[in-house]
Amino acid sequence: MQDIGTEVTAAGIARLAGVGRAAVSNWRRRHADFPRPVGGTETSPSFALAEVERWLRKQGKLAEVPLKERVWQQLAGHPAGPVTALVHTGCALLLVHDRHPVWMEVSAGSDQRLAELLPNSLDQVLTPRFGMVRRPAVTAPTAAALLPSVPLLRGAAELAAETGARQTFEFLLGRHLDANSRQYTPTPADLARLMADLAGPATTVLDPACGTGALLRAVDPRPDQELFGQDSSPEQAALTALRLALHTRSTVRTAAGDSLRADTYGTLRADAVLCHPPFNERNWGHDELAYDSRWEYGFPARTESELAWVQHALARLRDGGTAVLLMPPAAAGRRSGRRIRADLLRRGALRAVIALPAGAAPPHNLPLHLWVLRRPGKAPAQPEVLLVDAGQLLDGGAAASPAERGRDSGGGRGMLDREDVRAGVLETWRTFDRDGTAPEQPGLSRCVPVVELLDDDVDLAPARHLPPPASAVGAAELSTVRERLGRTLRLTADLTPPPVHEAQPARWPLTTVGELARAGALLLRTGGHGAHARVLTDHDVLSGTAPSGTLPETGEQPVLVEAGDVVVPVLGGGAVARVVDEATAVAALGRNLTLLRPDPAALDPWFLAGFLRGTANNRQASSYASTATRLDVRRLQLPRIPLDQQRRYGERFRALAEFEDALRLAGRLGEGLVRGMYDGLADGTVAPD
């Protein structure tokens, strides 16, 4: 039964029909029978999903709404809001997952009957899973609250029969987080895995600022495991509970409330605490918590909310337990926190500070830190602290040439799931944790005596204490880079396009990408769905670098690129199209990218990419908003010419692309050589003559 109350925006209509938003605007202007808005605003109206679906089918623009899309649109347009709809859906999916026969029984009748019977059935599942805390995050909704959700719940259960209850919830949650990215500060899955691995095996794990549960979800399951979470947002605490209950058979306990002001787990002593606390909060409870017993290492200043979270985490650990917190870099050096940092060092509570590459987690412009802490037992304090710069692992470590560092990197995002980076950080930490020390790696890691850090600043930023990268062979490395630059410059000269000859403007018959897609000459896909180890981002396409991104798990399958595909960025206003090569193949397609997969019997990929890059072509296919330019790829035009003539143009476009790549490489090598020369002259490893 279709819910007439479910609303959908113009963007949702475009997704349903597989067109751009401009096409929806045209339909509204050209078709008098297009459904009238039922809500929203004048500039962003919403429409009844049922009416839109009927109109699209009547016009032949939609054979049937895919089940995933139907369920998502029902959730996004829910009268009570998408978060309430997600919680209702998660409860129903947990019933489907744990007691499927009960779901089949209560869902067999009318919608009214389902809404009346469901609360009692949900109680049978929710109470044993979540009911043993003072403020349980999830309780069974009332029949009146559930009634508007019934069509959504039926659709979600149908989708779960195809893909599984957990995958269905992850898909809907991932879509919601992606559609409302400004409202959430997620912990990327690769960073969550690294934090869980640093904490090590644990039976009892707490996240006192759990958000949507990424950190607890990353914990390796163990027998008799208990997962505890708390969040100041009741909605996020509920989503965490449902997500974990669908993900694991471990005991799950989550509660709503501010962990600093209203700690639900005051008597808990966990094996591990994982936490991504809110940063730079002034209103964290400074005035009312002055005499709290958790401040064993000093009362945090009003500006040091992160150090309050550090001490809260230590207070919830058993002796010898490990806490891993994501911290802003300022927390390592602010003068207002130096006394607490000093006491953490003296008493052996702070064991390691790991600097992450910029972009590893929001805010993406900062190189965040991981603090690894251990609640001191009766053993004497450890005399050393491990400092690591994980950004150097991205750059190839100390052995890499200064000119090579970052040459093929697209930034920190997604790089923490690279096995060499994860393995390097974990190996260094585990060696230090086992032996109390670890070999020094210039530029990468060092075990620093505590006494060396106890100065007036107590600055824990790794970069301030690591020796510079080994440079005994710096001059030889720079010579190698210089030789590579020379070869690249000679190659660039050889690839320089030949002199051009003037010709009369061509008068080809034209077609569009949209027409070619409808005719089956090419396949058109959009990116941004499903987690994958290698993700081609719009930045990678624009800069010509290797895949460097990451995507959150949404329960959907990622779109994998193949050699010969053409990838086009849709934001920014640049005329760019990239032909995928063998080295990039099998990467996932990232956000704000459109993939065109030409039929080789009808289209040459280089011909396609070359004509798509035309400035005038991009201008006529672009729309302009207040803050961005968006390209409607379907409106891009191509000449209708025979395949053999396409290949002639394709060869010329391929040669131009090779010339462009050589210019980029020469620029990177030149910048690296200059930087390496400055560094070498400054540290004395390169002679001035």
Side-chain angles (χ1 to χ4, degrees), residues 600-687:
L603 285 172
D604 179 82
W606 288 100
F607 159 81
L608 174 63
F611 274 95
L612 294 186
R613 290 188 62 169
T615 302
N617 198 5
N618 275 259
R619 188 179 297 122
Q620 64 83 28
S622 296
S623 58
Y624 304 93
S626 57
T627 59
T629 302
R630 187 172 189 87
L631 181 69
D632 185 348
V633 176
R634 290 175 177 271
R635 290 171 53 189
L636 289 169
Q637 297 176 337
L638 291 167
R640 293 182 181 271
I641 59 177
L643 188 58
D644 58 345
Q645 192 174 355
Q646 291 181 32
R647 289 172 178 153
R648 287 177 53 207
Y649 278 95
E651 287 301 319
R652 190 66 181 270
F653 286 134
R654 184 199 292 264
L656 282 174
E658 291 176 354
F659 176 62
E660 183 179 40
D661 289 342
L663 286 175
R664 283 200 186 105
L665 178 57
R668 288 195 291 264
L669 289 170
E671 290 173 4
L673 179 61
V674 170
R675 182 175 58 184
M677 289 293 295
Y678 271 112
D679 290 346
L681 289 167
D683 64 21
T685 58
V686 173

Side-chain angles (χ1 to χ4, degrees), residues 368-598:
L368 302 178
H369 291 175
L370 291 178
W371 285 24
V372 185
L373 303 110
R374 181 155 291 152
R375 182 170 180 81
K378 296 181 181 180
Q382 298 289 343
E384 293 184 333
V385 173
L386 176 66
L387 301 180
V388 179
D389 185 353
Q392 295 295 322
L393 282 169
L394 276 182
D395 297 338
S401 161
E404 297 293 330
R405 294 184 190 134
R407 179 168 58 83
D408 295 322
S409 172
R413 297 186 210 188
M415 287 299 181
L416 290 179
D417 61 356
R418 268 182 34 183
E419 190 55 37
D420 54 342
V421 176
R422 284 175 45 76
V425 170
L426 289 173
E427 181 181 0
T428 302
W429 159 249
R430 287 167 179 165
T431 300
F432 173 78
D433 190 35
R434 181 183 66 247
D435 303 334
T437 189
E440 181 178 294
Q441 301 178 71
L444 176 60
S445 67
R446 177 189 171 204
C447 295
V448 182
V450 166
V451 67
E452 187 177 316
L453 298 170
L454 296 177
D455 54 16
D456 289 341
D457 296 323
V458 196
D459 194 325
L460 306 179
R464 295 185 182 276
H465 303 282
L466 296 180
S471 52
V473 292
E477 291 175 349
L478 290 172
S479 297
T480 301
V481 174
R482 186 177 182 279
E483 291 175 6
R484 283 195 65 194
L485 176 60
R487 290 197 303 270
T488 304
L489 290 173
R490 290 190 292 272
L491 175 63
T492 304
D494 293 339
L495 292 173
T496 302
V500 298
H501 303 287
E502 188 173 353
Q504 293 297 320
R507 302 295 183 186
W508 294 302
L510 298 176
T511 187
T512 65
V513 168
E515 290 171 349
L516 291 170
R518 285 192 291 272
L522 58 81
L523 174 67
L524 191 148
R525 301 287 299 276
T526 56
H529 310 299
H532 196 264
R534 295 171 66 238
V535 177
L536 184 68
T537 68
D538 52 352
H539 172 78
D540 301 328
V541 174
L542 293 169
S543 61
T545 52
S548 67
T550 186
L551 288 172
E553 183 172 339
T554 62
E556 296 181 271
Q557 290 298 316
V559 177
L560 303 183
V561 301
E562 299 177 1
D565 288 347
V566 177
V567 179
V568 183
V570 298
L571 292 182
V576 178
R578 173 171 168 178
V579 179
V580 175
D581 56 17
E582 293 290 347
T584 307
V586 195
L589 190 69
R591 294 186 182 93
N592 302 319
L593 291 175
T594 297
L595 177 145
L596 306 176
R597 182 166 294 159

Side-chain angles (χ1 to χ4, degrees), residues 223-468:
D224 302 321
Q225 190 174 65
E226 294 180 293
L227 303 177
F228 295 86
Q230 184 169 345
D231 198 90
S232 58
S233 165
E235 294 83 5
Q236 294 197 53
L239 293 177
T240 293
L242 293 165
R243 189 181 195 186
L244 293 175
L246 287 164
H247 176 71
T248 178
R249 298 305 303 178
S250 300
T251 300
V252 176
R253 300 286 180 260
T254 65
D258 185 333
S259 289
L260 295 183
R261 287 189 173 93
D263 182 18
T264 298
Y265 308 109
T267 60
L268 178 66
R269 294 298 177 264
D271 298 324
V273 174
L274 302 174
C275 187
H276 178 175
F279 295 163
N280 303 318
E281 282 203 339
R282 296 297 182 97
N283 186 27
W284 57 267
H286 177 270
D287 294 338
E288 59 262 47
L289 297 174
Y291 301 102
D292 197 286
S293 61
R294 288 171 291 182
W295 314 141
E296 295 182 45
Y297 303 87
F299 180 42
R302 190 182 302 276
T303 56
E304 295 289 351
S305 63
E306 297 87 5
L307 294 182
W309 285 100
V310 164
Q311 295 190 75
H312 174 79
L314 285 167
R316 294 295 156 262
L317 286 173
R318 63 167 175 80
D319 288 349
T322 303
V324 183
L325 282 84
L326 185 65
M327 302 283 282
R334 282 191 296 244
R335 290 190 61 80
S336 56
R338 65 188 187 278
R339 292 184 178 178
I340 293 177
R341 293 195 299 271
D343 208 31
L344 289 169
L345 292 171
R346 289 191 190 98
R347 297 174 58 182
L350 182 60
R351 306 302 302 123
V353 176
I354 301 167
L356 302 173
H364 291 296
N365 60 319
L366 291 179
L368 302 178
H369 291 175
L370 291 178
W371 285 24
V372 185
L373 303 110
R374 181 155 291 152
R375 182 170 180 81
K378 296 181 181 180
Q382 298 289 343
E384 293 184 333
V385 173
L386 176 66
L387 301 180
V388 179
D389 185 353
Q392 295 295 322
L393 282 169
L394 276 182
D395 297 338
S401 161
E404 297 293 330
R405 294 184 190 134
R407 179 168 58 83
D408 295 322
S409 172
R413 297 186 210 188
M415 287 299 181
L416 290 179
D417 61 356
R418 268 182 34 183
E419 190 55 37
D420 54 342
V421 176
R422 284 175 45 76
V425 170
L426 289 173
E427 181 181 0
T428 302
W429 159 249
R430 287 167 179 165
T431 300
F432 173 78
D433 190 35
R434 181 183 66 247
D435 303 334
T437 189
E440 181 178 294
Q441 301 178 71
L444 176 60
S445 67
R446 177 189 171 204
C447 295
V448 182
V450 166
V451 67
E452 187 177 316
L453 298 170
L454 296 177
D455 54 16
D456 289 341
D457 296 323
V458 196
D459 194 325
L460 306 179
R464 295 185 182 276
H465 303 282
L466 296 180

Side-chain angles (χ1 to χ4, degrees), residues 33-308:
D33 62 338
F34 191 86
R36 300 298 180 191
V38 297
T41 65
E42 184 175 347
T43 57
S44 181
S46 59
F47 307 83
L49 176 59
E51 294 179 7
V52 168
E53 183 180 347
R54 283 194 294 269
W55 187 87
L56 290 172
R57 189 176 292 110
K58 177 182 175 183
Q59 296 292 324
K61 303 180 186 300
L62 180 68
E64 185 61 47
V65 178
L67 180 58
K68 271 190 172 183
E69 198 60 45
R70 181 195 301 276
V71 173
W72 163 247
Q73 294 297 346
Q74 288 174 326
L75 185 145
H78 193 280
V83 176
T84 298
L86 259 177
V87 173
H88 291 179
T89 304
C91 291
L93 288 172
L94 188 57
L95 180 61
V96 171
H97 183 268
D98 284 6
R99 302 190 179 187
H100 189 259
V102 176
W103 165 261
M104 295 299 295
E105 180 182 346
V106 298
S107 64
S110 66
D111 288 359
Q112 184 72 37
R113 177 178 180 272
L114 174 57
E116 291 173 355
L117 295 179
L118 197 52
N120 183 59
S121 300
L122 291 178
D123 264 333
Q124 299 174 25
V125 174
L126 300 179
T127 299
R129 296 298 295 268
F130 308 132
M132 298 179 67
V133 292
R134 285 183 295 157
R135 292 182 292 273
V138 185
T139 56
T142 65
L146 283 171
L147 186 58
S149 300
V150 167
L152 167 64
L153 304 186
R154 292 189 186 277
E158 185 180 351
L159 184 57
E162 295 181 1
T163 64
R166 181 184 69 82
Q167 292 82 352
T168 298
F169 189 73
E170 288 293 334
F171 159 69
L172 295 172
L173 177 61
R175 274 279 187 96
H176 173 69
L177 296 178
D178 195 39
N180 301 275
S181 56
R182 294 184 180 181
Q183 300 177 23
Y184 300 91
T185 305
T187 307
D190 47 9
L191 177 56
R193 286 194 298 271
L194 176 61
M195 293 174 67
D197 288 344
L198 287 168
T203 301
T204 307
V205 187
L206 167 68
D207 182 350
C210 61
T212 56
L215 289 175
L216 292 173
R217 187 173 177 273
V219 174
D220 287 335
R222 293 172 64 84
D224 302 321
Q225 190 174 65
E226 294 180 293
L227 303 177
F228 295 86
Q230 184 169 345
D231 198 90
S232 58
S233 165
E235 294 83 5
Q236 294 197 53
L239 293 177
T240 293
L242 293 165
R243 189 181 195 186
L244 293 175
L246 287 164
H247 176 71
T248 178
R249 298 305 303 178
S250 300
T251 300
V252 176
R253 300 286 180 260
T254 65
D258 185 333
S259 289
L260 295 183
R261 287 189 173 93
D263 182 18
T264 298
Y265 308 109
T267 60
L268 178 66
R269 294 298 177 264
D271 298 324
V273 174
L274 302 174
C275 187
H276 178 175
F279 295 163
N280 303 318
E281 282 203 339
R282 296 297 182 97
N283 186 27
W284 57 267
H286 177 270
D287 294 338
E288 59 262 47
L289 297 174
Y291 301 102
D292 197 286
S293 61
R294 288 171 291 182
W295 314 141
E296 295 182 45
Y297 303 87
F299 180 42
R302 190 182 302 276
T303 56
E304 295 289 351
S305 63
E306 297 87 5
L307 294 182

